[in-house]
């Protein structure tokens, strides 16, 4: 008798942590369904790992509905879509940047999770893994908009865990520190020099490190819920405390 593989849905899967997670879960025997705005990139990732790719804008109700219509089974949901824009102080806050960060990080996570909860429950052992940030745990100067969004994501995730008690769905949050992806390039709005400087003189996490953690979480026995993981590079001890080597 043929047994269908479990299905993992991953948002923000066009690059970085999302793409690495798709590859890691596919290698672990999952059928992966990938969503992102940049369809040409997720189609390449899906081709590499034998998955399916559909356009997904988590800030748009219709896009989320159309994406979910392509999914008839969901054992694992990885909420990875998100990001930061700018490092303005509160006094100089760019409200458009704050709005985007709230929409993509908080409401985006809410939209996709809410939509796929029935399938996750129907699986009999569903799992929601949300990629948060150290910014959800520590406030820092220049991070107010992102701090606020990621603190909200953490609260949403914790409440979801509480509300699903007694149902066959596990809920986990991974809060990485510095990971060398295009995160800083986006945050600094295409300024590659500033983005590169974030990681200068230190060894950050790689997207694959976070993906390995996702894979570990979702392969625990059904009675084990990994509620929270804070993962940092050895060279980082908190949001803005980083050891950098000279030269």
């Amino acid at each position: 008798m043929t047994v269908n593989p479990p299905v993992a849905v991953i948002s923000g899967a066009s690059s970085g942590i999302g793409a690495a997670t798709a590859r890691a879960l596919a290698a672990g025997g999952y059928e992966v369904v990938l969503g992102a705005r940049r369809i040409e990139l997720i189609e390449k990732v899906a081709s590499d790992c034998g998955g399916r790719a559909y356009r997904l804008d988590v800030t748009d109700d219709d896009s989320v509905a159309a994406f979910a219509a392509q999914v008839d089974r969901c054992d694992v949901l990885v909420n990875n879509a998100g990001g930061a824009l700018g490092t303005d102080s509160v006094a100089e806050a760019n409200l458009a940047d704050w709005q985007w960060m709230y929409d993509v990080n908080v409401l985006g996570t809410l939209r996709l999770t809410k939509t796929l909860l029935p399938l996750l429950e129907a699986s009999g052992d569903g799992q929601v893994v949300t990629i948060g940030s150290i910014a959800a745990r520590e406030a820092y100067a220049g991070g107010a908009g992102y701090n606020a969004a990621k603190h909200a994501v953490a609260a949403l995730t914790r409440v979801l865990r509480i509300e699903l008690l007694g149902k066959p769905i596990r809920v986990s949050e991974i809060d990485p520190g510095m990971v060398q992806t295009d995160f800083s390039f986006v945050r600094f709005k295409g300024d590659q020099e500033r983005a590169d400087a974030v990681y200068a003189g230190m060894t950050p996490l790689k997207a694959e490190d976070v993906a390995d953690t996702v894979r570990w979480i979702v392969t625990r026995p059904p009675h084990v819920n990994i509620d929270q993981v804070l993962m940092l590079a050895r060279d980082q001890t908190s949001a803005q405390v980083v050891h950098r080597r000279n030269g």
Side-chain angles (χ1 to χ4, degrees):
M1 185 176 78
T2 301
V3 177
N4 293 325
V7 175
V9 175
I10 306 161
S11 69
S14 58
S15 62
I17 293 170
T21 298
R23 297 185 180 101
L25 295 186
Y30 286 82
E31 178 186 349
V32 294
V33 180
L34 314 182
R37 291 174 299 169
R38 297 177 292 180
I39 186 65
E40 69 284 355
L41 294 183
I42 53 169
E43 286 178 342
K44 174 63 168 61
V45 176
S47 176
D48 290 344
C49 62
R52 293 182 281 145
Y54 304 105
R55 188 181 184 282
L56 172 64
D57 180 353
V58 296
T59 69
D60 182 82
D61 290 338
D62 291 340
S63 179
V64 171
F67 175 83
Q70 305 296 323
V71 180
D72 57 9
R73 175 178 174 177
C74 182
D75 300 86
V76 172
L77 168 61
V78 181
N79 284 309
N80 175 68
L85 280 182
T87 56
D88 296 337
S89 68
V90 172
E92 300 295 330
N94 181 318
L95 296 186
D97 287 352
W98 277 60
Q99 186 69 62
W100 180 87
M101 285 185 279
Y102 192 85
D103 285 345
V104 70
N105 290 286
V106 185
L107 296 183
T109 296
L110 173 61
R111 282 189 184 91
L112 194 56
T113 302
K114 178 182 177 181
T115 301
L116 294 179
L117 274 179
L119 290 180
L120 287 159
E121 184 170 2
S123 75
D125 181 24
Q127 295 191 71
V128 178
V129 180
T130 296
I131 307 301
S133 169
I134 192 173
R137 299 177 180 231
E138 292 184 42
Y140 56 89
Y146 190 54
N147 284 146
K150 285 302 189 184
H151 273 73
V153 171
L156 185 163
T157 304
R158 182 59 187 164
V159 172
L160 182 67
R161 169 82 166 106
I162 294 166
E163 291 177 344
L164 292 177
L165 185 64
K167 295 188 177 183
I169 304 175
R170 291 179 274 168
V171 180
S172 304
E173 177 184 350
I174 302 174
D175 291 332
M178 296 167 69
V179 186
Q180 191 159 20
T181 63
D182 61 0
F183 173 87
S184 292
F185 182 77
V186 172
R187 182 172 210 167
F188 297 130
K189 303 179 180 181
D191 187 330
Q192 189 66 60
E193 186 175 354
R194 286 186 72 191
D196 291 343
V198 171
Y199 312 107
M202 59 88 66
T203 303
L205 298 174
K206 299 181 293 184
E208 289 76 14
D209 298 323
V210 182
D212 285 346
T213 305
V214 175
R215 180 173 171 178
W216 176 75
I217 287 173
V218 303
T219 54
R220 295 312 85 208
H223 69 285
V224 178
N225 193 102
I226 308 299
D227 283 55
Q228 294 179 321
V229 174
L230 172 65
M231 56 185 303
L232 305 177
R234 187 179 63 185
D235 287 337
Q236 183 181 18
T237 57
S238 63
Q240 292 191 318
V241 178
V242 179
H243 171 68
R244 299 185 189 274
R245 293 169 290 280
N246 296 325

